[in-house]
Amino acid sequence: MGVVEIVNVKLAPSSNVTDSSSPAAKALAESLKTVSSQPGFNKLFWGVETEDSSLLHLAIDWESLDAHKTFMSSSSYGPFKETLQSIVAAKPAVMHTNFKLQPGTTILPIAAPVTQLISGFFPASIGSGEVDSCNANFDKFASVLAKAPGFKGAASGWVHEEIENEKAGGKAKVAVSAVGWESVDAVKAFQGSAEYKENISLMKEGPKGIEIAYVKFQAN
């Protein structure tokens, strides 16, 4: 994978993007078609959260960050943005990361039936030693995940941008992880296990805030 653009969108009321016959779904399809035709585009996944279908997530794999920037400065971007804005309730949150795949990963986490997206928000002043410690903690936790029934894969990375986050006290560095599962039930079963309870502290060390979403992605 190259650089992955992660886009989190709050959909406007009545924007049902999962009904292919709806105006919202057609607008989304048009937007994604524009993205997929751009130079430097690799692949794209989109989906809504299992617990709130008004929250849409996109994961767009670009050859490089410059490839996405080139699209944003192209003549195609204006119409794309206008079409997408017709179905959203607020400005989308956009961030970029380089995912590192974990051992035991059999498929891309975002290609699994259910993807658990975990964002950890750290003070922008976090040092390199703390970053290394957080990376090591996730590696350890991922080795536990790999043994869980229903686990399909995991990837993690640090977001290129600093993101505003109240719990981090303003600008934050963000560590994002994607964990693929067979089902939401598989996640819940793991969360009830002794292995989870003994190791979840690894994920809680460091971040001032954590956000978790469960998404059923589909390839575009």
Side-chain angles (χ1 to χ4, degrees), residues 10 39 48 84 86 89 97 101 157 167 177 180 189 195 210:
K10 174 65 176 178
V48 297
L84 188 61
S86 70
T97 189
L101 295 178
K167 291 182 179 179
S177 306
E195 290 80 4
I210 297 176

Side-chain angles (χ1 to χ4, degrees), residues 15 27 32 59 101 113 116 127 190 199 202:
S15 291
L32 300 187
L101 295 178
Q116 183 183 22
F190 172 63
N199 292 279
L202 291 167

Side-chain angles (χ1 to χ4, degrees), residues 32-176:
L32 300 187
K33 183 178 180 181
T34 299
V35 173
S36 62
S37 67
Q38 300 305 308
F41 167 84
N42 288 332
K43 59 178 72 70
L44 183 156
F45 295 84
W46 70 274
V48 297
E49 293 190 16
T50 60
E51 297 176 354
D52 187 349
S53 61
S54 72
L55 298 176
L56 169 71
H57 297 264
L58 307 176
I60 307 169
D61 182 16
W62 297 95
E63 289 181 2
S64 65
L65 183 58
D66 283 344
H68 182 212
K69 290 180 177 179
T70 297
F71 168 48
M72 293 178 68
S73 63
S74 73
S75 59
S76 300
Y77 191 73
F80 156 80
K81 186 176 180 180
E82 183 176 351
T83 300
L84 188 61
Q85 285 179 334
S86 70
I87 62 172
V88 306
K91 183 179 178 180
V94 181
M95 51 190 179
H96 301 83
T97 189
N98 292 85
F99 274 128
K100 168 192 169 185
L101 295 178
Q102 291 290 328
T105 296
T106 56
I107 61 173
L108 286 175
I110 53 178
V114 173
T115 304
Q116 183 183 22
L117 293 177
I118 308 167
S119 298
F121 296 87
F122 299 77
S125 59
I126 185 173
S128 58
E130 293 171 284
V131 169
D132 290 343
S133 178
C134 292
N135 290 341
N137 282 346
F138 185 75
D139 288 347
K140 292 176 184 176
F141 190 71
S143 69
V144 177
L145 283 170
K147 301 172 185 176
F151 170 81
K152 291 296 185 182
S156 61
W158 288 87
V159 171
H160 293 204
E161 302 88 352
E162 292 183 354
I163 306 295
E164 285 286 343
N165 183 264
E166 183 177 345
K167 291 182 179 179
K171 292 287 186 180
K173 293 286 289 182
V174 185
V176 61

Side-chain angles (χ1 to χ4, degrees), residues 176-215:
V176 61
S177 306
V179 183
W181 296 92
E182 284 183 357
S183 64
V184 174
D185 287 343
V187 184
K188 292 180 178 179
F190 172 63
Q191 291 173 340
S193 69
E195 290 80 4
Y196 173 85
K197 294 173 183 177
E198 292 169 2
N199 292 279
I200 188 57
S201 61
L202 291 167
M203 296 293 287
K204 295 181 178 180
E205 292 177 10
K208 299 300 182 181
I210 297 176
E211 295 179 359
I212 300 175
Y214 301 92
V215 183

